[in-house]
C-alpha cells in the first residue's frame, strides 16, 4: 500500500493532487512540520532531508515531490498521467516535470529573497525568463502537452497556484489565469484541497 507522509499548506499538495488523479489507493500520515517531528530519527529514515512530502510503498521510498509525481504516474499507467516510453511527447513531459524544481523554484526563491543572481550562473536564468517561457507554453493549452493532462501539470499547476494566488509574487497573465482555472476545475485537485484543508 502507498503511504504518503504529508503536511497541509505545503509542497505536499503536489503529491496529494497526483495521487487523487491516479485513482491509486493510498493512506496518509500527517507530519506536523510545526512540531519538528520531521527531524525525528524515525522520519529521517524515510526522508533524510527532513521534508515533506515523502512516499513509501513496500520497500520503495520516494522523496522529492517531482519524483513522487513521476513515480505515481508510472504506477498508474491507466490514469494516463505520463506519455508512455517511446512517445515523442515524453521529451516535453520530462522537461516540464523538471522545470518546476530546477527553474521555477529557484526563480521564486530569488524573487522572495530579493537577491540578484547572475543569470549565466543560475540554472533558471532569470525570474522573467522562466515566466516568459512558461507563458508561451501555456498560451497554447489546454495543458503543457496539449490535449492531455499529465503529472507535469500537477507540478507546474501547483507552483503557479502558490506563487500567483497565494504568495502573489507572480503577476497574473491571461495564459496563467486560464490555465489555473482549468486546473481548479479538476475534481482531483478539489479533493486534494479538501484533504489539505481538513489537515
Ligand atoms: N524539494 C522538496 C522540498 C520539500 C519542502 O521544502 N518541504 C517543506 C514544506 S513545503 C518542509 O518539509 N519543511 C519542513 C522543514 O524544512 O522543517 C520537494 O519538492 O519535495
Amino acid at each position: 500500500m502507498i503511504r504518503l507522509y504529508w503536511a497541509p499548506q505545503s509542497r505536499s499538495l503536489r503529491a496529494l493532487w497526483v495521487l487523487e488523479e491516479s485513482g491509486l489507493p493510498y493512506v496518509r500520515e500527517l507530519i506536523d512540520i510545526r512540531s519538528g517531528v520531521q527531524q525525528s530519527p524515525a522520519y529521517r529514515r524515510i526522508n533524510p532531508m527532513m521534508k515533506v512530502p515523502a512516499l513509501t510503498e513496500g520497500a520503495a521510498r520516494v522523496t522529492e515531490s517531482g519524483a513522487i509525481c513521476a513515480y505515481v504516474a508510472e504506477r498508474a499507467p491507466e490514469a494516463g498521467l505520463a506519455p508512455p516510453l517511446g512517445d515523442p511527447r515524453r521529451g516535453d513531459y520530462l522537461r516540464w516535470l523538471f522545470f518546476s524544481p530546477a527553474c521555477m523554484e529557484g526563480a521564486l526563491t530569488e524573487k522572495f529573497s530579493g537577491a540578484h543572481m547572475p543569470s549565466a550562473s543560475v540554472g533558471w536564468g532569470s525570474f522573467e525568463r522562466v515566466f516568459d517561457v512558461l507563458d508561451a507554453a501555456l498560451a497554447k493549452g489546454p495543458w503543457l502537452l496539449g490535449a492531455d493532462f499529465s503529472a507535469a501539470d500537477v507540478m507546474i499547476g501547483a507552483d503557479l497556484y502558490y506563487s500567483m494566488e497565494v504568495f502573489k509574487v507572480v503577476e497574473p497573465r491571461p495564459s496563467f489565469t486560464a490555465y489555473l482555472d482549468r486546473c481548479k476545475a479538476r475534481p482531483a485537485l478539489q479533493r486534494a484541497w479538501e484533504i489539505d484543508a481538513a489537515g
Side-chain angles (χ1 to χ4, degrees), residues 54-66:
L55 177 155
T56 56
E57 185 178 30
R61 181 185 70 171
V62 193
T63 65
E64 297 302 324
S65 50

Side-chain angles (χ1 to χ4, degrees), residues 126-190:
S126 70
F127 182 88
E128 288 71 25
R129 197 188 303 172
V130 165
F131 288 94
D132 286 350
V133 166
L134 186 61
D135 190 7
L138 294 180
K140 293 176 223 144
W143 305 112
L144 287 161
L145 303 186
D148 294 324
F149 181 87
S150 74
D153 290 297
V154 170
M155 290 297 287
I156 299 290
D159 276 11
L160 203 52
Y161 165 70
Y162 271 115
S163 57
M164 197 177 100
E165 297 206 348
V166 178
F167 297 114
K168 299 186 190 307
V169 286
V170 172
E171 284 294 317
R173 302 189 193 189
S175 74
F176 295 169
T177 305
Y179 178 70
L180 276 186
D181 284 348
R182 288 191 288 274
C183 289
K184 288 181 205 167
R186 296 189 73 83
L189 178 54
Q190 292 164 13

Side-chain angles (χ1 to χ4, degrees), residues 106-107 109-111 113-127:
T109 302
E110 184 180 357
K111 188 78 166 180
S113 67
H116 181 69
M117 321 276 271
S119 70
S121 307
V122 294
W124 55 92
S126 70
F127 182 88

